[in-house]
Each structure stands twice: as C-alpha cells, then as structure tokens.
C-alpha cells in the first residue's frame, strides 16, 4: 500500500502485513536482484524471512536435479514476465487497460501474478544463479555489452564486467561498447541512471550523457539527462568530474559526496555544494518526486513513468511549478493531483493530457 502527501514531499511505504490483515505479495524484483547478485540498498529488508524460506526450499528442490543449462537468459525471462498483462510488482506502475480489447475479453492485468508463474520465474532465477556461480568459479563471467533499455514505468539493473552496478530509470537506456574494460571504460546513457562504480585509477569510468562527460573518481552517483535545461548529476559517495564533452579534463568541476552539478545547454557547469537529498534518487525506489518542478520537467516525467504526453494549451501556466510526490498512483490520480496543485483543468484524450 502506498500513500502520497502532495506539497510536503513525504511518502509512506508500508510493507508486509496490510492494515486489513492480509499479507502482501513478495517483492519479485528485489528477490530477482538478490538471486542474480545485483541487490540494491534496501533490498534485504524487502525480502522477508518467509521469502528466504521459499528460496531455500526452491534451491533444495533444484539441487536434486541435473545441472541447469548455462545459457539461461534471466533478464529476457524477467522482461517477458513483466510484459505480461497480469504482472504486478509492488513498485511498478500499473499497466493501462487496453480500451481496444476484443468485446467480452477478460482484462487480465488486474489479477495478481499467479503462484505458478511466480514459481517459474523463481526457478529460472535460482537456476541462473547456480549457473552464474559455476561460471564465476571457472573465472569466465560473460561481459555485458550493447544497448540496454527500459520501457514506460519500468526500472531495471545490470552489472558490468568490472563489477560496476547500474540502475536505469523508466524509458532510459545505456550503451556499452564491445571493448568495454579492455583499454578504457566509457559508456553512454539517455534518461536517468544510478551508478555504483568500481574504481580503477588506470581506467577511469566515464559516462557520456547528452553534451556532458562525467568521470568517476570512485563513487556512487546519479545522472539525469532528460531535464529541459541540461544534464544533472547528484553524488552520494566519493567524487566525480563534470565537464562538457570535447573539452580538456582540466576544465571539469569536481563534485564530492552531497554535491549536485548541472551542465547547462550553453555548456556552463553549475554546482551546488551539499544540496543532494533523498529526493534526487527517489526514482530508484519507484517514487516520482517533484520539487518546484517546471511543467516541462513534469511533462517529461509523465512520459517516462506513465506514457502520457502532457500538452500545455494555456501559455500563462508556463511559469507555474509543481511540488508533489507519487508512489504507484494511477495515471488518473496523478493527473487529478496535478490539476488541483496547479489550479488548472486537465482534459485526458487517450494518452494525451491537455492542460488549460
């Protein structure tokens, strides 16, 4: 169950037993990340003792069968399940009902994931985890290369060959070259991404986002490249250097833990010391936070999280800003909240919302 408090920036997340006494379904994304060695901070608390007992039972069962094949693609399997209309995770934005569905056809997405499907995903995860450990012991873990992306309202994670962990925000992508890690470590992102970088002084980790180059100095940081005004970087551990691409490294601005940096469209680099808050990485945990956000930034976020195109029909609204927090609310509820907060009228036309 989720509640949002608009204007105060406060979000309560209640897990485990619900107020009506019912038990909340397992957090399948947290379980999947733990099985594949890609756990995020806070995942341990999301995987309950009952979940761990279930995992142990599954592992005991699988240990009695022959060794699993080494070519199981867990990411593809999980993506397939996520794409199912009946899949619902605790912190995934609900899918919209297909209004063009055949008459009389049952809309399955409102039904929780069946136990059989859950067990199948879990079995694939455990098998892949066992195969991964076998390959790790043999010293031959396959490198992750190519382009990886997420869809509307979906977040996903991956671990690079050097151990660096990345979490992609909704409608975001990362491109990893085939020669990553051989002589250099450079990647490119579009959208939002969180990084936990393994430091290597001989091969600095470089992120290119739009017109910005972010070079790691051993750190944890977040990059947002879809802002209407440029590229933003929030550092929570260590330090990074932020500069415009194709400029000397000496021109980079050093951002340390707690600092925020912004590369303006004209190439200027701005920094705010000690300005990072939990709001800056809230999206990683499924929370959509606006703090005095322009309507252009609100529109960009609605596109990524809900697949809604927001159009401003009245230009007098251009100077208004939104402060609100959302955690899993329906598109209708989000638009209603924005409507009240802005003192405006929003007309929904399919996937378009017109603001007057």
């Amino acid at each position: 169950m989720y509640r949002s408090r608009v204007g105060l920036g406060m979000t309560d997340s209640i897990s485990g037993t619900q107020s009506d006494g019912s038990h909340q379904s397992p957090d399948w994304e947290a379980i999947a990340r733990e099985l594949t060695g890609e756990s995020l901070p806070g995942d341990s608390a999301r995987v309950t003792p009952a979940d761990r007992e279930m995992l142990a039972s599954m592992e005991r069962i699988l240990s009695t069968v022959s060794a699993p094949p080494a070519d199981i693609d867990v990411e593809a399997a999980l993506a397939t399940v996520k794409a199912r209309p009946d899949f619902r995770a605790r912190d995934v934005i609900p899918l919209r009902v297909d209004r063009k569905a055949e008459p009389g056809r049952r809309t399955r997405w409102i039904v929780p994931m069946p136990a059989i499907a859950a067990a199948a995903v879990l079995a694939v995860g455990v098998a892949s985890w066992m195969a991964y450990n076998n390959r790790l012991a043999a010293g031959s873990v396959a490198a992750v290369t190519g382009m990886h992306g997420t869809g509307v309202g979906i977040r996903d994670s991956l671990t690079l060959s050097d151990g660096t962990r990345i979490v992609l925000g909704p409608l975001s992508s990362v491109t990893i070259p085939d020669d990553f890690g051989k002589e250099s470590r450079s990647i490119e992102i579009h959208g939002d991404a969180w990084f936990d970088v393994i430091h290597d002084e001989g091969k600095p980790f470089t992120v290119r986002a739009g017109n910005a180059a972010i070079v790691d100095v051993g750190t944890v940081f977040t990059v947002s490249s879809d802002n209407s005004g440029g590229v933003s970087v929030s550092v929570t551990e260590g330090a990074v250097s932020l500069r415009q691409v194709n400029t000397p490294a000496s021109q980079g601005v050093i951002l340390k833990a707690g600092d925020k940096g912004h590369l303006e469209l004209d190439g200027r680099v701005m920094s705010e010391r000690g300005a990072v808050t939990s709001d800056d990485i809230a999206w990683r945990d499924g929370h959509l936070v606006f703090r005095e956000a322009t309507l252009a930034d609100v529109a960009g976020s609605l596109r990524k999280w809900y697949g809604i195109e927001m159009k401003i029909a009245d230009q007098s609204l251009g100077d208004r800003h939104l402060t609100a927090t959302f955690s899993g609310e329906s598109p209708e509820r989000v638009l209603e909240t924005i409507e009240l907060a802005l003192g405006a009228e929003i007309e929904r036309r399919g996937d378009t919302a017109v603001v007057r």
Side-chain angles (χ1 to χ4, degrees), residues 35-202:
L35 286 171
T36 55
E38 298 180 358
S39 294
L40 301 176
D43 277 353
S44 294
R46 296 178 181 175
V47 182
T48 67
D51 296 335
R52 296 186 187 282
E53 182 178 348
M54 176 179 61
L55 291 174
S57 298
M58 291 296 299
E59 187 173 351
R60 285 194 296 272
I61 293 172
L62 287 169
S63 66
T64 64
V65 301
S66 59
D71 59 349
I72 295 177
D73 189 343
V74 175
E75 295 291 343
L78 188 56
T80 299
V81 174
K82 285 181 180 179
R84 290 179 48 153
D86 60 347
F87 173 75
R88 288 184 120 185
R90 179 176 63 80
D91 53 2
V92 174
I93 303 302
L95 296 172
R96 294 181 294 103
V97 176
D98 183 4
R99 304 296 182 186
K100 299 179 181 179
E102 298 174 6
R105 185 175 181 180
R106 184 167 175 244
T107 53
R108 299 176 56 205
W109 67 269
I110 62 174
V111 181
M113 183 167 67
I116 292 178
V121 173
L122 191 59
V124 170
V126 173
S128 176
W129 170 70
M130 293 169 65
Y132 175 86
N133 280 346
N134 291 338
R135 295 196 304 273
L136 184 62
S140 59
V141 178
V144 177
T145 59
M147 189 179 77
H148 303 262
T150 56
V152 172
I154 300 296
R155 290 163 291 120
D156 207 352
S157 62
L158 67 157
T159 301
L160 304 184
S161 58
D162 64 348
T164 292
R165 295 160 62 208
I166 304 175
V167 178
L168 289 175
L171 217 59
S172 301
S173 65
V174 57
T175 301
I176 306 156
D178 292 339
D179 60 353
F180 175 86
K182 293 180 180 178
E183 295 185 4
S184 63
R185 298 187 300 161
S186 297
I187 65 171
E188 183 173 357
I189 71 159
H190 294 278
D192 301 320
W194 173 89
F195 297 89
D196 186 352
V197 177
I198 299 298
H199 185 58
D200 183 344
E201 197 166 321

Side-chain angles (χ1 to χ4, degrees), residues 6 14 42 64 131 194 204-205 228 320 322 342:
V6 179
I14 302 175
T64 64
W194 173 89
F205 188 90
S228 59
R320 298 193 184 182
L322 176 69
L342 295 179

Side-chain angles (χ1 to χ4, degrees), residues 210-226:
N211 201 32
I214 303 103
V215 182
D216 152 67
V217 189
T219 186
V220 176
F221 61 99
T222 303
V223 178
S224 179
S225 62
D226 282 344

Side-chain angles (χ1 to χ4, degrees), residues 90 100 207 308 314 317 350 355:
R90 179 176 63 80
K100 299 179 181 179
V207 178
I308 295 175
D314 188 345
L317 294 172
V355 185

